[in-house]
């Protein structure tokens, strides 16, 4: 889908000329598509990569949409955003690593998003941080979410799609929408609500899609090359330094029920969460359970 439901001169549209100037290598070597609306940028690139030849290593592809009709986050949660209020993007690429060598990729991408934010004119008082396994926080609110999917793999390569949704404006409106969605979900499932949303405009009143996209592309370009060569290990300390819940008591939840609780002691070199639980040290694999601060009971 590539419809045009928004005014062509809307002030929040991405300035392609400026993007080409400040996006560095991605602007030259990547395929960058910007569409008004689609179902899901992740689904679009998954389809493209699945149609590609296995084992091929095309240049990364970025797809950005101003609106998604079927945007989603981790565990199938809907990703809500009004046109111009959020950066909705996915990057598809082939990493020369087997699928088991992708451990910690979502954490490494979180570090890349922090690196991108460091190149934007945020207020000195802003506190970007990371929440395991795939959220970027701003002053304890959820600024961005990361969703990684694999399209195909061979013994020495994996095609991945990295979805990033980052809120720029409208945090209050978004919070109301999320609350409504959570109430509806609670009526039919045992899912637990996520962290309240935050928007980049809190730390950068003039937040815009063009500069944010360029910063993300530049940071991903560097991060993907490094992850391909070295895995999560070189990102680990940076992630630990930015971990919002380091040393705090958390609750592990499975389908709405508390499994255990304990103190977060960090992550290992494969990106697994380390918790000191009453029954002893516990390692939590990405996607295994839902994590909440202990005060947030299911």
């Amino acid at each position: 889908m590539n419809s045009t439901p928004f005014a062509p001169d809307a002030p929040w549209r991405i300035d392609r000329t400026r993007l080409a100037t400040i996006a560095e290598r991605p602007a030259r070597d990547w395929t960058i598509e910007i569409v008004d609306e689609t179902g899901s940028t992740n689904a679009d690139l998954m389809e493209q990569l699945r149609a590609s030849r296995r084992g091929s290593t095309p240049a990364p592809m970025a797809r950005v949409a101003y609106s998604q009709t079927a945007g989603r986050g981790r565990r199938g949660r809907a990703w809500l955003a009004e046109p111009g209020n959020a950066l909705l993007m996915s990057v598809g690429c082939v990493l020369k690593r087997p699928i088991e060598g992708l451990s910690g990729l979502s954490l490494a991408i979180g570090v890349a998003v922090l690196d991108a934010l460091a190149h934007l004119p945020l207020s000195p008082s802003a506190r970007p941080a990371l929440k395991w396994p795939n959220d970027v926080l701003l002053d304890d609110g959820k600024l961005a979410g990361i969703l990684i999917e694999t399209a195909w793999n061979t013994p020495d390569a994996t095609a991945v799609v990295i979805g990033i949704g980052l809120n720029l404006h409208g945090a209050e409106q978004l919070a109301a929408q999320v609350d409504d969605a959570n109430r509806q979900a609670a009526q039919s499932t045992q899912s637990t609500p996520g962290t309240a949303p935050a928007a980049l405009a809190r730390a950068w009143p003039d937040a815009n899609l063009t500069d944010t996209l360029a910063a993300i592309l530049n940071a991903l370009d560097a991060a993907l090359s490094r992850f391909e060569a070295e895995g999560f290990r070189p990102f680990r300390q940076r992630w630990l330094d930015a971990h919002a819940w380091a040393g705090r008591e958390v609750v592990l939840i499975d389908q709405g029920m508390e499994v255990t609780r304990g103190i977060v002691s960090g992550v290992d070199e494969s990106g697994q969460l380390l918790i000191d639980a009453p029954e002893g040290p516990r390692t939590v694999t990405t996607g295994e359970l839902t994590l909440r601060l202990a005060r947030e009971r299911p």
Side-chain angles (χ1 to χ4, degrees):
M1 182 187 302
N2 187 2
S3 59
T4 56
F6 316 122
D9 58 349
W12 41 258
R13 283 184 175 275
I14 293 167
D15 183 335
R16 291 174 182 264
T17 301
R18 177 169 173 78
L19 182 68
T21 301
I22 61 179
E24 299 176 3
R25 195 181 77 91
R28 299 191 307 269
D29 300 342
W30 294 28
T31 298
I32 301 176
E33 300 176 338
I34 302 172
V35 299
D36 275 19
E37 185 176 276
T38 190
S40 160
T41 56
N42 256 43
D44 293 345
L45 292 188
M46 285 286 286
E47 182 178 356
Q48 290 188 45
L49 282 174
R50 284 172 174 158
S52 67
R53 182 170 58 85
R54 284 180 175 252
S56 62
T57 54
M61 304 175 288
R63 187 167 173 85
V64 182
Y66 296 123
S67 175
Q68 291 186 127
T69 59
R72 64 194 191 282
R74 185 168 173 257
R75 294 177 173 267
R77 294 190 182 98
W79 184 271
L80 306 171
E82 293 296 320
N85 278 359
L87 176 62
L88 307 172
M89 65 174 294
S90 299
V91 170
C93 63
V94 177
L95 296 177
K96 295 178 182 177
R97 299 180 70 86
I99 194 166
E100 60 271 17
L102 298 186
S103 297
L105 179 57
S106 65
L107 281 70
I109 298 304
V111 170
V113 173
L114 284 194
D115 289 343
L117 295 177
H119 285 84
L120 296 173
L122 305 190
S123 165
S125 63
R127 296 184 295 109
L130 297 171
K131 173 191 166 189
W132 188 90
N134 62 344
D135 289 348
V136 180
L137 307 183
L138 180 64
D139 301 336
D140 295 328
K142 181 172 178 177
L143 176 68
I146 297 163
L147 177 65
I148 296 178
E149 300 178 280
T150 59
W152 53 256
N153 65 282
T154 67
D156 55 7
T158 307
V160 301
V161 174
I162 300 163
I164 298 175
L166 192 152
N167 302 317
L168 271 71
H169 300 278
E172 295 80 6
Q173 178 185 6
L174 182 58
Q177 291 177 300
V178 170
D179 286 344
D180 183 60
N182 285 336
R183 281 194 296 271
Q184 294 181 31
Q187 294 174 2
S188 58
T189 70
Q190 292 183 311
S191 62
T192 55
T195 305
L200 196 57
R202 177 186 299 179
W204 177 25
D206 296 327
N208 66 82
L209 290 172
T210 304
D211 289 42
T212 305
L213 173 59
I216 294 287
L217 290 174
N218 290 337
L220 287 179
D221 188 43
L224 290 172
S225 296
R226 192 169 192 190
F227 188 91
E228 183 177 64
E230 304 179 64
F232 177 63
R233 182 178 298 181
F235 298 89
R236 179 172 177 261
Q237 190 56 54
R238 176 88 165 89
W239 194 94
L240 290 171
D241 291 343
H243 186 200
W245 293 356
R248 301 177 71 176
E249 185 181 18
V250 296
V251 177
L252 294 178
I253 300 168
D254 186 10
Q255 297 183 347
M257 303 298 293
E258 179 177 324
V259 175
T260 190
R261 60 179 58 207
I263 304 299
V264 175
S265 59
V267 295
D268 64 16
E269 290 189 353
S270 64
Q272 297 181 109
L273 188 70
L274 305 175
I275 293 178
D276 292 330
E279 65 271 22
R282 178 159 186 164
T283 301
V284 185
T285 302
T286 302
E288 177 185 333
L289 300 168
T290 299
L291 186 71
R292 295 284 179 261
L293 285 174
R295 68 172 182 268
E296 301 176 6
R297 295 181 179 275

